[in-house]
Amino acid sequence: MHRAPLPHRAFLHGAGRRGTAAWPSQDPESGTFLSFPPESSVEAQAGALVEGERDRTPLLFAHSIGAVTAVRAVTDGLRVFGLVLVEPALYDIARGDAPIERHIAVVTEARSRAAEDDLYGFWSILRPLMFGGPLDRESWPDERAVAEHWAAANLPWGHGIREHTLAGVPTLVVTGGWNEEYELIARRLVDVGADHIVLSGFAHRPQDHPGFPAAVTAFEQSLTM
């Protein structure tokens, strides 16, 4: 059976680790690993991605909020071979679902505290939502820098993302099976033709699951047959 050459891979990180550190199961020589500065907007990241990959048609990997950048880039004209979206934070496509609205409401309340220069109040709301467990005064000095990061991080909604953008784009969605919000988003993507697999045991980072490389390779090869 004839099989076309495998596509170039490009990797987008989420709000935490960047570059190759965000994709430890992948060979550092296997593609382009992007690393955007924390202060860069989704729109700026999408523009840089379109420009950087203009002469290629990559298999584009994206984790969490990186999926927002990926879909914006596709909307803005980036041609892709396919998408591998890991726990995609595409909240815009699942607005109206109770878990999605609850998450957005809590983050909005927390951000309002940050806007009033109450970083401790911000973190006391966001920390239980994002990381579990309450904030206490003793741990605050050690967590302040993390709170500052999250108070300034891009929000994954409000970017005009629509699921129909991905209709006809070969897409593999990988979730960890631990959070109802991401499973809801995955179901919306399946409705427009995406494949979906669950790799449990690694929470928000199923790309660290030992089965992730094989699952991606199988998807990639299915597109080149």
Side-chain angles (χ1 to χ4, degrees):
M1 179 182 297
H2 174 72
R3 181 170 282 155
L6 294 178
H8 174 77
R9 291 181 170 189
F11 297 85
L12 289 172
H13 56 78
R17 307 181 203 178
R18 287 169 159 71
T20 55
W23 303 93
S25 70
Q26 301 300 304
D27 182 347
E29 304 299 321
S30 65
T32 301
F33 291 79
L34 293 105
S35 182
F36 294 114
E39 67 275 10
S40 63
S41 67
V42 166
E43 292 72 23
Q45 292 174 11
L49 178 59
V50 170
E51 185 62 30
E53 297 294 324
R54 186 180 301 279
D55 297 330
R56 292 188 285 237
T57 304
L59 179 63
L60 185 57
F61 292 66
H63 177 225
S64 195
I65 194 173
V68 180
T69 296
V71 178
R72 273 300 304 265
V74 171
T75 302
D76 293 344
L78 177 65
R79 294 178 63 248
V80 296
F81 193 80
L83 293 169
V84 178
L85 304 180
V86 181
E87 293 261 301
L90 298 174
Y91 282 79
D92 280 337
I93 73 172
R95 293 302 304 260
D97 285 321
I100 299 293
E101 296 302 326
R102 184 165 54 249
H103 179 97
I104 291 174
V106 174
V107 174
T108 299
E109 180 185 357
R111 285 291 184 110
S112 71
R113 299 284 186 93
E116 296 168 355
D117 294 324
D118 180 9
L119 188 65
Y120 185 89
F122 161 81
W123 196 232
S124 69
I125 296 171
L126 196 76
R127 188 189 193 284
L129 177 73
M130 299 291 288
F131 302 102
L135 171 62
D136 63 71
R137 287 287 179 184
E138 290 185 3
S139 64
W140 173 235
D142 294 331
E143 296 185 12
R144 185 183 184 95
V146 180
E148 289 172 346
H149 166 77
W150 283 100
N154 291 320
L155 294 174
W157 50 84
H159 301 283
I161 300 298
R162 298 293 180 266
E163 62 266 42
H164 63 71
T165 300
L166 299 184
V169 178
T171 302
L172 174 66
V173 182
V174 185
T175 57
W178 67 288
N179 182 295
E180 189 177 6
E181 296 156 27
Y182 294 109
E183 302 306 317
L184 283 168
I185 291 167
R187 288 199 287 274
R188 293 292 181 91
L189 293 170
V190 168
D191 287 343
V192 293
D195 296 329
H196 175 214
I197 62 171
V198 176
L199 297 176
S200 60
F202 291 79
H204 191 44
R205 291 188 54 84
Q207 67 264 50
D208 295 342
H209 190 286
F212 179 77
V216 168
T217 297
F219 173 68
E220 183 179 53
Q221 291 180 345
S222 74
L223 304 181
T224 61
M225 295 176 63

